[in-house]
Amino acid sequence: MLSLLSLRKQIDAGSLTPREAIALSTAAIAEHEPEIQALVSRNPVPFVAEQGPLAGIAVGVKDILDTADLPTQMGSPIYEGWRPRADAAAVARLRRLGAVPLAKTTTTAFAFLDPTQTRNPRHPGHTPGGSSAGSAAAVSAGMLPLALGTQTGGSVIRPAAYCGVVGMKPSFGLLPTVGMKCFSWTLDTLGLFTAGVADAALALAQMTGRPGIDLPTTNPGTPRIGVVLQDFCADAEPEALDALERVRAAAEAIGSRVCDVVLPAVFAEAFGFHGTIQDFEAAQALNWEYATHRANLGPLLRAHLDDAQNVSPNSYDASLKVAGRARRQLPDQFAEHDLDVILTLSAPGPAPEGYASTGDSRFNRLWTLMGVPCVTVPVGSTPTGLPLGVQVIARHGDDARALKAAHCVETLMREQNH
Amino acid sequence: MLSLLSLRKQIDAGSLTPREAIALSTAAIAEHEPEIQALVSRNPVPFVAEQGPLAGIAVGVKDILDTADLPTQMGSPIYEGWRPRADAAAVARLRRLGAVPLAKTTTTAFAFLDPTQTRNPRHPGHTPGGSSAGSAAAVSAGMLPLALGTQTGGSVIRPAAYCGVVGMKPSFGLLPTVGMKCFSWTLDTLGLFTAGVADAALALAQMTGRPGIDLPTTNPGTPRIGVVLQDFCADAEPEALDALERVRAAAEAIGSRVCDVVLPAVFAEAFGFHGTIQDFEAAQALNWEYATHRANLGPLLRAHLDDAQNVSPNSYDASLKVAGRARRQLPDQFAEHDLDVILTLSAPGPAPEGYASTGDSRFNRLWTLMGVPCVTVPVGSTPTGLPLGVQVIARHGDDARALKAAHCVETLMREQNH
């Protein structure tokens, strides 16, 4: 994979030019894209800035994010050939930092569940996950050092875990969603895909203008970890649970305090209401598409929006209330158990076989609803070579701590796998 | 003016067809638009639905809201001729209710402060206010029974008051902003302009699918009112204060309990931080426009965005914290003083003379930041004929109560002016 941090170090040292860095991506795309099919469109002659903290960094942009120089097609024939006038706010920011939005990456239609044609670079025959399929696969295949995705349920963390890359869903509100096709304004969160945690930390620090988000140069210490198994949803697969236990053992071995945390009932309740909030808002957000192009929606989305028309304002209000209660109580959980981070699964198991499903977001939805920063870290593979990930979660606004602990986990598991 | 409720009653009674109702708007536009200049574009052959709870209602749509069948130009040459693919969510909803989005209404560029060419229908030579200038003026001139606007500072309540119409800024989150050009995602709120309070209540109830928002058919009772003078910002003009005192006296005369409320310091502090939040977000939301078309921004917006580049994430975070504290404390103010609604000014005075300024939003910004429902009600005019309004404010989510109390004020002041 292409490491953003490593590219930037070479550029800063003068051993690589921004143009050469972009050429690495172009070459990797030529080699892998025919098989992986992670890209929808790309800029054949991109402007390459010579200066800027992200100069030389080729970026993949999920195709529900507006770009002024490339079509934005939402993974849907309804937006075939669609050309926005402006860049999404996050894309404009990346350009100002010197990065090169080189390609648009595949997305399930409107970031819902109807699969894309994208292949999992780590294991042919298995889904790359969704909805940010192309962003996860492009980074995994070494085509791009950075890609933007979005998460409403589990659309960043899940595909990142399935494809063996780092996925970061920052705190709700940290990255602007302006110029992103909305599905649910309470949930939609912009996120990043990178080769490693340090790459994500550098990118997020630059994109937000918050240097404190980047990894500390000093010893990161040993995070205090609370393991959450989400007993309120269906069991995970043994391979995913094994990976979690390996991380637990490795953290304990370096002196981390690791405890089990069973969340109070309000979190189970909030988890159950994620769909109500999402669907009530999606029915409004996609009102035009549903009213005028229902036949051209993906079959899963069409059926889902059919049902979503019937979610009542009262259920929505009640769900928002529970979610608000859970959000207010979550910091207490960190305080009560004296935690830096929560550790849980990134997905119920490795990427499912086949391309009919993009997998399951049940280990992601609660955290999206809570608006807290989540990082998935690759922690090895199943015996058949399917990547596994674990998810590191911090308090809202504490993205730096989530990344620092994720980096610790990453380091431990890399050592273990060597 | 054209009353939405009255048109709908005639249509329900069979004495008016939806097509005839739309023709009333078309005729009024032909008569008044050459002088008022409230419209940017209009649909010459609109589809007129025969059925639906808002069939026959012509709607004006502020030109920062996307429409699939009319250009959306943001009041800016940067978006000259721009054609979105989809309708904004609120526009799509209106179409599904049978309403006819007949015209796009003028907006200051990107809904900031650079004035439009629109004239105040009630008083030539005075600003109609902004940023939703065209929506306020079109309803005021009797061209449309309903218009959509947006408010980030005071862009619904202020122009409505200046033009002598009802303006309603609902609770934050009640109407979707999907498909609206974003200025500040924490503040941007969609609102309505109508001839009377009952018209706004019916429209909002229909648009949200919440019949409880509509006015009660039974006796509305006498609202418990707390008068807030916002002693933390510069004094209002005597004519505006007189109007407020007339409403106070009229309410007391029908048995309403009216008390003075001085808000605790946190509200003054939050008021002061509105700009920090707005500007930090605007610098991101308009990043593409600033980076690529700075020379074509309006002069006021350009200078403002120049400064906005320097708002630090730390100031933003601190401002959001204060705003959150104030939001959580606002319900206590209603409880402590046993209030249904807060009553305050809609603007510091009547519409200023000339067209260089769109007026002042200092009596609106705190309430936008609090996300609470606000209704401005016309309460007569100055001796020179400039309209005056007062603002009725309820708790977040209590839009029905805001409308009910506003209707009471409207009824009292109509009786007084006859």
Side-chain angles (χ1 to χ4, degrees):
Chain A
M1 289 191 281
L2 291 170
S3 158
L4 185 154
L5 186 61
S6 157
L7 292 173
R8 281 302 313 165
K9 278 184 178 165
Q10 295 173 64
I11 292 167
D12 283 341
S15 59
L16 187 77
T17 67
R19 195 164 290 277
E20 288 163 353
I22 300 300
L24 293 175
S25 282
T26 313
I29 289 170
E31 182 180 350
H32 300 295
E33 174 58 12
E35 188 195 338
I36 304 302
Q37 302 180 59
L39 309 182
V40 188
S41 61
R42 62 190 119 149
N43 194 334
V45 282
F47 170 74
V48 179
E50 290 295 323
Q51 300 295 327
L54 295 183
I57 301 305
V59 184
V61 178
K62 186 178 184 181
D63 209 24
I64 61 165
L65 290 160
D66 286 352
T67 39
D69 59 353
L70 287 171
T72 301
Q73 304 183 102
M74 321 293 181
S76 167
I78 302 170
Y79 284 81
E80 198 182 336
W82 172 240
R83 304 292 304 242
R85 178 145 306 183
D87 283 329
V91 174
R93 171 75 182 167
L94 282 166
R95 283 195 217 273
R96 286 181 74 179
L97 293 164
V100 177
L102 189 65
K104 300 302 286 285
T105 57
T106 59
T107 175
T108 60
F110 303 105
F112 195 60
L113 298 174
D114 298 282
T116 65
Q117 78 282 24
T118 308
R119 291 350 194 178
N120 189 321
R122 295 300 188 83
H123 207 299
H126 288 249
T127 177
S131 63
S132 312
S135 287
V139 170
S140 172
M143 297 195 269
L144 297 165
L146 175 64
L148 301 182
T150 64
Q151 174 157 320
T152 306
S155 284
V156 167
I157 299 298
R158 174 163 102 265
Y162 287 175
C163 292
V165 303
V166 165
M168 163 92 199
K169 181 193 82 65
S171 293
F172 185 84
L174 189 62
L175 289 176
T177 56
V178 178
M180 165 193 175
K181 183 70 182 165
C182 179
F183 197 87
S184 160
W185 53 88
T186 297
L187 298 166
D188 294 346
T189 314
L190 208 70
L192 309 178
F193 297 85
T194 54
V197 175
D199 307 307
L202 175 58
L204 190 62
Q206 287 292 344
M207 290 179 73
T208 57
R210 296 171 186 262
I213 285 179
D214 207 351
L215 295 181
T217 48
T218 54
N219 186 329
T222 50
R224 296 160 300 171
I225 297 173
V227 174
V228 170
L229 284 179
Q230 295 201 183
D231 57 351
F232 45 81
C233 67
D235 285 351
E237 296 164 39
E239 288 164 325
L241 291 167
D242 284 352
L244 196 65
E245 290 310 312
R246 277 189 284 128
V247 172
R248 179 205 295 263
E252 281 173 341
I254 59 157
S256 269
R257 192 172 47 63
V258 185
C259 63
D260 287 296
V261 174
V262 176
L263 295 173
V266 68
F267 294 97
E269 218 188 329
F271 172 76
F273 286 142
H274 171 281
T276 308
I277 293 168
Q278 173 191 272
D279 297 351
F280 184 80
E281 294 183 355
Q284 294 176 72
L286 297 173
N287 204 339
W288 177 82
E289 288 80 2
Y290 185 79
T292 61
H293 291 83
R294 183 175 167 280
N296 268 336
L297 296 166
L300 296 177
L301 179 56
R302 181 167 58 240
H304 201 83
L305 287 182
D306 283 344
D307 291 343
Q309 307 299 310
N310 303 316
V311 180
S312 74
N314 284 348
S315 322
Y316 173 68
D317 294 350
S319 302
L320 276 185
K321 248 181 210 147
V322 172
R325 217 159 58 227
R327 265 186 217 131
R328 284 190 297 278
Q329 285 185 31
L330 190 51
D332 303 342
Q333 289 299 308
F334 280 88
E336 188 182 312
H337 299 279
D338 194 24
L339 305 177
D340 287 312
V341 291
I342 284 172
L343 180 73
T344 188
L345 305 164
S346 298
E353 196 166 2
Y355 300 107
S357 158
T358 60
D360 190 303
S361 65
R362 66 181 185 265
F363 285 95
N364 313 119
R365 296 199 291 270
L366 174 63
W367 314 110
T368 312
L369 181 56
M370 295 300 97
V372 289
C374 302
V375 187
T376 177
V377 183
V379 292
S381 308
T382 66
T384 61
L386 284 162
L388 292 164
V390 294
Q391 187 174 196
V392 177
I393 299 165
R395 291 173 181 86
H396 182 266
D398 213 358
D399 298 66
R401 199 181 302 249
L403 285 159
K404 198 170 84 167
H407 188 237
C408 175
V409 169
E410 181 185 55
T411 307
L412 287 176
M413 301 313 286
R414 272 190 186 154
E415 282 163 8
Q416 199 175 76
N417 290 329
H418 281 144
Chain B
M1 290 190 280
L2 291 171
S3 158
L4 185 155
L5 185 62
S6 157
L7 292 173
R8 282 300 315 163
K9 279 185 178 163
Q10 294 172 65
I11 292 166
D12 284 340
S15 59
L16 187 76
T17 67
R19 195 164 290 278
E20 288 164 351
I22 300 299
L24 292 175
S25 282
T26 313
I29 289 170
E31 183 180 348
H32 300 294
E33 174 57 12
E35 188 195 336
I36 304 301
Q37 301 180 60
L39 310 182
V40 187
S41 60
R42 58 188 122 148
N43 193 333
V45 282
F47 170 75
V48 179
E50 290 294 322
Q51 300 295 326
L54 294 184
I57 301 305
V59 183
V61 178
K62 185 179 183 178
D63 210 24
I64 62 164
L65 290 159
D66 285 351
T67 40
D69 59 353
L70 286 172
T72 300
Q73 303 183 102
M74 321 292 180
S76 168
I78 302 170
Y79 285 81
E80 195 182 337
W82 171 241
R83 302 290 305 239
R85 178 144 306 181
D87 283 328
V91 174
R93 171 75 183 168
L94 282 166
R95 283 196 216 274
R96 288 181 72 178
L97 293 164
V100 176
L102 189 66
K104 300 303 286 286
T105 56
T106 58
T107 174
T108 61
F110 304 105
F112 195 63
L113 297 175
D114 296 281
T116 67
Q117 78 281 24
T118 309
R119 293 345 197 180
N120 189 322
R122 295 301 187 81
H123 207 300
H126 288 249
T127 177
S131 64
S132 311
S135 286
V139 170
S140 173
M143 298 195 268
L144 298 165
L146 175 64
L148 300 183
T150 64
Q151 176 157 320
T152 305
S155 284
V156 167
I157 299 298
R158 175 163 101 263
Y162 287 175
C163 292
V165 303
V166 166
M168 164 92 199
K169 180 193 81 68
S171 293
F172 186 84
L174 190 62
L175 289 176
T177 55
V178 178
M180 166 191 172
K181 182 69 183 167
C182 179
F183 197 87
S184 159
W185 51 89
T186 297
L187 297 166
D188 292 347
T189 313
L190 207 70
L192 309 178
F193 296 84
T194 54
V197 175
D199 307 307
L202 174 58
L204 189 62
Q206 287 292 345
M207 290 180 72
T208 57
R210 296 172 185 260
I213 285 178
D214 208 352
L215 296 180
T217 49
T218 54
N219 186 329
T222 50
R224 297 161 299 172
I225 297 172
V227 175
V228 171
L229 285 179
Q230 297 198 182
D231 57 352
F232 46 81
C233 68
D235 285 351
E237 296 165 38
E239 287 163 325
L241 291 167
D242 284 352
L244 195 66
E245 289 310 312
R246 277 189 284 125
V247 172
R248 178 205 295 263
E252 281 173 340
I254 60 158
S256 269
R257 191 173 49 63
V258 186
C259 63
D260 287 295
V261 174
V262 176
L263 294 175
V266 69
F267 294 97
E269 218 188 330
F271 171 77
F273 287 142
H274 172 281
T276 308
I277 294 168
Q278 172 190 272
D279 296 350
F280 184 81
E281 296 183 354
Q284 294 177 71
L286 297 174
N287 204 338
W288 177 83
E289 288 80 1
Y290 185 79
T292 62
H293 292 81
R294 183 174 168 281
N296 267 336
L297 296 166
L300 296 177
L301 178 56
R302 181 168 56 240
H304 202 81
L305 287 182
D306 284 343
D307 291 342
Q309 307 299 311
N310 303 316
V311 180
S312 76
N314 284 348
S315 322
Y316 173 68
D317 294 349
S319 302
L320 276 184
K321 247 180 212 148
V322 171
R325 216 157 62 226
R327 268 186 213 129
R328 285 190 296 279
Q329 286 185 32
L330 191 52
D332 303 342
Q333 289 300 308
F334 282 88
E336 185 183 315
H337 299 280
D338 193 26
L339 306 178
D340 289 311
V341 290
I342 284 172
L343 180 73
T344 188
L345 304 164
S346 300
E353 195 164 3
Y355 299 105
S357 158
T358 60
D360 189 305
S361 65
R362 66 180 186 265
F363 285 95
N364 312 120
R365 295 198 294 268
L366 174 64
W367 314 109
T368 312
L369 181 56
M370 295 298 99
V372 290
C374 303
V375 188
T376 177
V377 184
V379 292
S381 309
T382 65
T384 61
L386 284 163
L388 293 163
V390 295
Q391 188 173 197
V392 176
I393 300 165
R395 290 172 183 85
H396 182 266
D398 213 358
D399 299 66
R401 198 182 302 250
L403 286 159
K404 199 170 86 168
H407 188 237
C408 174
V409 169
E410 180 186 55
T411 308
L412 287 175
M413 301 314 287
R414 272 192 186 153
E415 281 163 5
Q416 199 176 75
N417 290 329
H418 282 143

